[in-house]
Amino acid sequence: MQLEAITWQRMAERLAGHLDEHLGGHLGGHGSPPQERSWQRVGIDGAPAADTGVLAGHLADALRLRSRPALVVPAEGFLRPASLRFEFGREDVDSYLGGWYDTAALWREVFGPTDPGGTGRVLPDLWDPVRDRATRSPYTELPPGGVVIVHGPLLLGHWFPFDLSVHIRLSPGALARRTEESARWTLPAFARYEAETDPGARADAVVRADDPRHPAWTGLTGPTG
């Protein structure tokens, strides 16, 4: 795997340019009126230690500079209630892999509204895991031509309909070092995710971020599997 050293900001600019080209190409050029454009969905996948929100934020800023509305949706806002997450214990790896995140709610509240012919009415979060109750956040009306950026762990194993996906990979050593002590029990879950899902093969771009100050990436290669 060949990697190119790059800053997070420059990476975001290149991703935003790719999204513009894809949208314009689909509709016959960059001059297409915004009301004629469909929505785009981006997934930024990585363990909590990979801090996926950094790239998500830079990408949202880069898109807005291009007059593209953008909404950042953290996957942690769609965690299931504690009674369901901890049904088999607080450190159950199988539950973490398959039962912590409310994927049905993500389909219903984020992806469905941004399907062709959708309403664009997106719920940015559903559940507050700290207070363990509904956030009651208002819906966001994302205009046509807008981009939803979903970021967080384990995103590439659910066949979410991303128009563009990025996997931020940490080596096992870096992942262990950067994972909080209280969350070290999740390390086997991410080892299984890499082995069973192979998110790097599913993503359009892979980022190596063992040192978050000096990321490197493959560029936009497209998924290989």
Side-chain angles (χ1 to χ4, degrees), residues 163-199:
D163 297 286
L164 177 64
S165 60
V166 178
H167 174 59
I168 301 179
R169 173 175 289 166
L170 303 181
S171 68
L175 180 60
R177 289 193 303 272
R178 292 171 55 185
T179 298
E180 295 181 5
E181 184 68 33
S182 61
R184 293 280 178 87
W185 65 270
T186 64
L187 295 177
F190 288 107
R192 279 181 52 187
Y193 178 60
E194 285 285 341
E196 297 172 6
T197 302
D198 195 3

Side-chain angles (χ1 to χ4, degrees), residues 6-21 30 44 54-66 68 149 164 166 217 220:
I6 193 170
T7 66
W8 294 112
Q9 293 89 340
R10 180 59 181 154
M11 193 187 307
E13 290 166 4
R14 287 173 62 175
L15 293 171
H18 174 84
L19 288 167
D20 262 4
E21 291 171 6
H30 290 286
I44 301 178
V54 171
L55 180 57
H58 284 308
L59 178 55
D61 290 342
L63 286 164
R64 291 167 186 146
L65 287 174
R66 293 168 174 265
R68 299 287 306 278
I149 306 166
L164 177 64
V166 178
W217 78 330
L220 287 161

Side-chain angles (χ1 to χ4, degrees), residues 4 10 28-29 36 46 58 61 64 71 79 83 98 105 107 126 140 183 199 208 225:
E4 170 194 359
R10 180 59 181 154
E36 294 180 8
H58 284 308
D61 290 342
R64 291 167 186 146
L71 176 65
L79 282 167
S83 60
W107 279 101
L126 179 65
T140 295
R208 287 297 299 266

Side-chain angles (χ1 to χ4, degrees), residues 4 9 22 47-49 64 85 105 110 117 120 142-143 146 159 164 189 203 206 209 214 218:
E4 170 194 359
Q9 293 89 340
H22 177 79
R64 291 167 186 146
R85 297 200 311 275
V110 177
L142 191 66
W159 302 106
L164 177 64
V206 177
H214 303 289
T218 59

